[in-house]
Amino acid sequence: PGLYEAHLNLGVLLLRVKRPKEAVPHFEAAVTAKPGEYRPRYYLAESLFEAGRGAEAEPHYRKALEVNPKSAEAAHGLGQSLLHRRK
C-alpha cells in the first residue's frame, strides 16, 4: 500500500481482467503520487470510461494529452468519451 508502482500495476491488472470499477482507486492513488506522469492519468481515464463514468474520464484524457500530445490512444479515448456523451 502506498507504493506508486504497486497501485499502477494492480490497476492495470484489474483493468485487463475487465474490473474497471476496482481499478479506479488504484489509478487515483497513482495519479496522486505522480500527477505529471502519463500512464496513471491515461489508465485512470480508461478505467473511468470503462466503468461508465465518461464525464469523469474526459479531464483525465485531456491531462494525459497535455503530458503526451502525440498519444493516439489518449486522443481516441477522449473522442470516445465525447462521442458517448454526444459532444
Side-chain angles (χ1 to χ4, degrees):
L3 292 175
Y4 165 78
E5 293 83 4
H7 284 293
L8 184 62
N9 291 335
L10 182 54
V12 169
L13 176 66
L14 290 168
L15 191 58
R16 286 186 182 164
V17 296
K18 308 291 185 204
R19 292 165 60 181
K21 289 179 184 176
E22 294 175 49
V24 169
H26 296 288
F27 291 130
E28 288 174 334
V31 165
T32 299
K34 294 192 179 185
E37 292 288 320
Y38 169 80
R39 288 184 66 216
R41 187 70 68 168
Y42 169 74
Y43 283 125
L44 175 57
E46 282 289 290
S47 62
L48 288 167
F49 182 77
E50 292 296 322
R53 297 164 57 184
E56 295 174 63
E58 181 184 342
H60 295 288
Y61 282 124
R62 290 187 187 279
K63 186 67 174 179
L65 282 168
E66 285 178 22
V67 175
N68 182 0
K70 294 182 180 183
S71 171
E73 60 192 0
H76 179 264
L78 176 59
Q80 289 296 312
S81 175
L82 294 171
L83 179 66
H84 281 267
R85 294 182 351 222
R86 302 190 191 282
K87 286 189 167 188

